[in-house]
């Protein structure tokens, strides 16, 4: 569908009478320059993540919830809630949902439909043996992509688009980052912090003359050579670890190794849950497949919302977790008069995550494209997603900011969703 450019601020003379396609061409030509300009403008914002004396750094503290509580919340959010949602939706009347089985496509009128048109319509319903006009192998696509592609010519195309957008761009990033970064990685980071923090109730040992260059260099840690500029106390806190706190080389080595474990495990599990088998020809030809995909997508959205609300409630009520423990920052508050400042900081951290994604996007999409080219008949999503989850883990390990990793995830899903919609 084309829209007249007269609705675009009256710039029709600039883009010509053909409307939006010319405008899109101008945007595509300018996109690389806009992308480079965004990277250049955000370089300091992203660079602050890896500077120990940056104001972006948050002190690392032991999370108050136990391993058992984390396992309980994760199992409920990642396994039980999706199963309950799917079963609950299956009991609802079928009349409440679109019936794609009876209206697969909106075919042209019988008197004007040629044999070639009928052949094309039937071909779109076939599995990997009959790809779309974009030569896409539907059998190896994500279920959300299959749903969008096959429903685009049905009466419920717009409703399906809204549902997929909500699930992919809103619900999934917020819920999954809570489960995998805040909950799992936060729990594993307790193990890493035990290398640099004393047992609960005992003070940290003092570092005599820790603020001098000589002592820092004698510890053999080049990363603390600039300590005098940030006024490190002689006795670091016994309950939290800051990147500027001096530690022995052995403690730092153990801390980094354990932190690597805390980042790798959630990233591996996160990539693993995106693995699956390609769609079979029987599933592709089954008229009920599209109905099942729609209901599964709706169940996924509901379970994500439930997992997020349930997880925050359990950690807050049973474990006494603070806003700093769950990555919202110690300054986050719901109180009137200060709520706006908290939301503004959340938006700033979210924007930082979008900027980080802009830097790693070529790697993620490049790896995905290369794997699809090498393995066209396989689902290759787990490996690029694993790389992305590693980047998220490092960012959360450095900042412990929930909004930042959510911003990264939303940017990834929104970009993928936009590319998919453009290709339809």
């Amino acid at each position: 569908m084309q829209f007249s450019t007269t609705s675009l601020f009256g710039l029709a003379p600039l883009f010509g009478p053909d409307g939006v396609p010319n405008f899109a061409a101008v945007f595509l030509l300018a996109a690389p320059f806009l992308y480079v300009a965004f990277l250049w403008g955000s370089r300091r914002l992203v660079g602050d993540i890896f500077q120990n004396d940056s104001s972006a750094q948050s002190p690392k503290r032991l999370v108050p919830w136990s391993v058992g509580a984390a396992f309980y919340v994760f199992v409920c959010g990642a396994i039980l809630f999706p199963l309950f949602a799917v079963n609950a939706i299956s009991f609802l009347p079928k009349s409440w949902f679109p019936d794609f089985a009876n209206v697969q496509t909106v075919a042209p009128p019988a008197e004007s439909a040629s044999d070639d048109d009928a052949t094309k319509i039937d071909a779109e319903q076939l599995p990997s043996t009959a790809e779309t006009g974009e030569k896409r192998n539907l059998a190896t696509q994500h279920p959300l992509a299959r749903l969008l592609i096959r429903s685009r010519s049905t009466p419920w195309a717009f409703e399906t688009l809204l549902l997929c957008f909500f699930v992919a761009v809103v619900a999934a990033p917020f819920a999954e980052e809570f489960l995998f970064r805040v909950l799992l990685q936060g729990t594993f980071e307790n193990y890493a912090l035990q290398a640099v923090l004393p047992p609960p109730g005992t003070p940290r040992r003092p570092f005599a003359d820790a603020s001098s260059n000589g002592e820092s260099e004698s510890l053999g840690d080049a990363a603390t050579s600039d300590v005098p500029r940030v006024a490190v106390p002689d006795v670091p806190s016994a309950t939290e670890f800051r990147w500027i706190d001096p530690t022995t080389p052995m403690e730092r080595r153990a801390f980094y190794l354990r932190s690597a474990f805390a980042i790798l495990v959630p990233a591996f599990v996160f990539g693993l849950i995106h693995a699956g088998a390609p769609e079979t020809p029987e599933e592709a030809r089954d008229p009920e497949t599209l109905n099942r995909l729609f209901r599964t997508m709706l169940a996924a959205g509901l379970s994500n919302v439930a997992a997020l609300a349930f997880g925050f409630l359990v950690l807050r009520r049973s474990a006494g977790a603070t806003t700093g423990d769950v990555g919202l920052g110690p300054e986050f508050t719901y109180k009137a008069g200060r709520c706006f400042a908290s939301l503004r900081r959340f938006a700033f951290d979210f924007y930082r995550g979008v900027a980080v994604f802009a830097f790693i996007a070529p790697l993620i999409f490049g790896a995905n494209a290369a794997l699809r080219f090498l393995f066209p008949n396989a689902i290759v999503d787990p490996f690029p997603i694993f790389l992305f989850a590693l980047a998220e883990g490092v960012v959360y390990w450095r900042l412990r900011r929930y909004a930042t990793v959510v911003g990264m995830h939303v940017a990834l899903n929104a970009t993928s969703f936009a590319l998919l919609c453009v290709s339809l």
Side-chain angles (χ1 to χ4, degrees):
M1 179 181 296
Q2 295 186 3
F3 300 92
S4 173
T5 48
T6 55
S7 63
L8 298 174
F9 308 100
L11 298 180
L14 178 61
F15 299 112
D18 293 335
V20 170
N22 286 344
F23 173 76
V26 173
F27 177 78
L28 290 176
L29 290 175
F33 300 97
L34 296 175
Y35 176 71
V36 173
F38 181 77
L39 294 181
W40 178 261
S42 305
R43 68 191 188 285
R44 183 171 299 179
L45 195 66
V46 176
D48 285 345
I49 298 176
F50 304 98
Q51 295 181 5
N52 293 341
D53 57 350
S54 170
S55 59
Q57 300 293 337
S58 297
K60 302 181 74 64
R61 302 179 57 185
L62 296 171
V63 295
W65 57 82
S66 63
V67 176
F71 179 79
Y72 169 71
V73 174
F74 183 81
V75 169
C76 289
I79 301 176
L80 296 183
F81 285 172
L83 291 177
F84 289 158
V86 170
N87 290 326
I89 288 178
S90 66
F91 287 107
L92 296 178
K94 294 184 178 180
S95 60
W96 290 11
F97 307 99
D99 188 6
F100 296 98
N102 292 330
V103 186
Q104 288 288 350
T105 58
V106 178
E111 63 274 12
S112 62
S114 64
D115 294 338
D116 293 339
D117 294 333
T119 302
K120 292 178 182 178
I121 293 172
D122 292 336
E124 288 182 351
Q125 301 176 17
L126 295 178
S128 59
T129 56
E131 299 172 348
T132 64
E134 299 85 3
K135 300 185 184 300
R136 179 185 291 108
N137 190 340
L138 289 182
T140 59
Q141 292 291 316
H142 189 278
L144 183 144
R146 298 179 208 161
L147 177 60
L148 270 182
I149 294 170
R150 287 178 175 150
S151 66
R152 70 185 187 277
S153 56
T154 67
W156 303 281
F158 182 70
E159 291 83 353
T160 304
L161 180 70
L162 291 181
L163 173 63
C164 292
F165 177 84
F166 171 75
V167 174
V169 182
V170 181
F174 278 84
E176 291 175 354
E177 293 313 314
F178 170 78
L179 291 176
F180 287 92
R181 243 55 63 186
V182 174
L183 189 67
L184 279 189
Q185 184 169 326
T187 303
F188 290 134
E189 282 186 8
N190 274 10
Y191 177 66
L193 287 172
Q194 291 172 0
V196 290
L197 291 179
T202 60
R204 291 180 69 171
R205 69 182 188 280
F207 290 89
D209 299 326
S211 61
S212 65
N213 276 331
E215 179 66 13
S216 298
E217 293 174 357
S218 66
L219 292 177
D221 190 357
T224 58
S225 59
D226 295 332
V227 165
R229 294 182 298 182
V230 291
V232 179
D234 290 344
V235 183
S237 171
T239 59
E240 64 183 29
F241 170 76
R242 298 171 302 170
W243 297 102
I244 56 177
D245 287 341
T247 56
T248 64
M250 184 177 296
E251 286 178 342
R252 276 194 175 271
R253 190 177 300 110
F255 174 70
Y256 287 138
L257 289 176
R258 296 181 183 187
S259 296
F261 174 81
I263 295 171
L264 283 170
V265 172
F268 177 77
V269 177
F270 186 65
L272 194 62
I273 65 172
H274 290 84
E279 187 180 55
T280 64
E282 291 75 16
E283 291 174 335
R285 294 188 179 95
D286 186 0
E288 285 293 329
T289 296
L290 205 54
N291 289 341
R292 287 194 294 267
L293 286 175
F294 184 90
R295 295 169 190 171
T296 301
M297 202 59 55
L298 179 60
L302 295 176
S303 64
N304 283 332
V305 174
L308 186 63
F310 175 78
F312 273 119
L313 181 63
V314 169
L315 298 186
R316 177 66 175 174
R317 297 295 183 181
S318 65
T322 64
T323 56
D325 295 326
V326 295
L328 293 175
E331 76 284 348
F332 193 90
T333 180
Y334 306 100
K335 295 181 179 179
R338 299 175 58 190
C339 181
F340 180 75
S342 298
L343 294 177
R344 185 171 55 184
R345 177 56 192 264
F346 186 93
F348 177 78
D349 291 334
F350 184 92
Y351 173 77
R352 190 194 299 272
V354 175
V356 173
F357 169 75
F359 278 85
I360 66 173
L363 172 64
I364 304 301
F365 287 112
N368 185 64
L371 289 172
R372 286 189 179 278
F373 177 77
L374 295 174
F375 308 100
N377 296 321
I379 295 179
V380 299
D381 293 344
F383 184 74
I385 291 176
F386 172 71
L387 293 179
F388 177 74
L390 285 180
E392 285 187 312
V394 172
V395 170
Y396 190 77
W397 177 66
R398 295 290 301 186
L399 299 183
R400 187 166 280 191
R401 288 285 177 171
Y402 172 64
T404 303
V405 290
V406 168
M408 295 176 63
H409 201 156
V410 168
L412 171 68
N413 287 9
T415 303
S416 302
F417 188 84
L419 293 175
L420 176 62
C421 291
V422 169
S423 67
L424 293 179

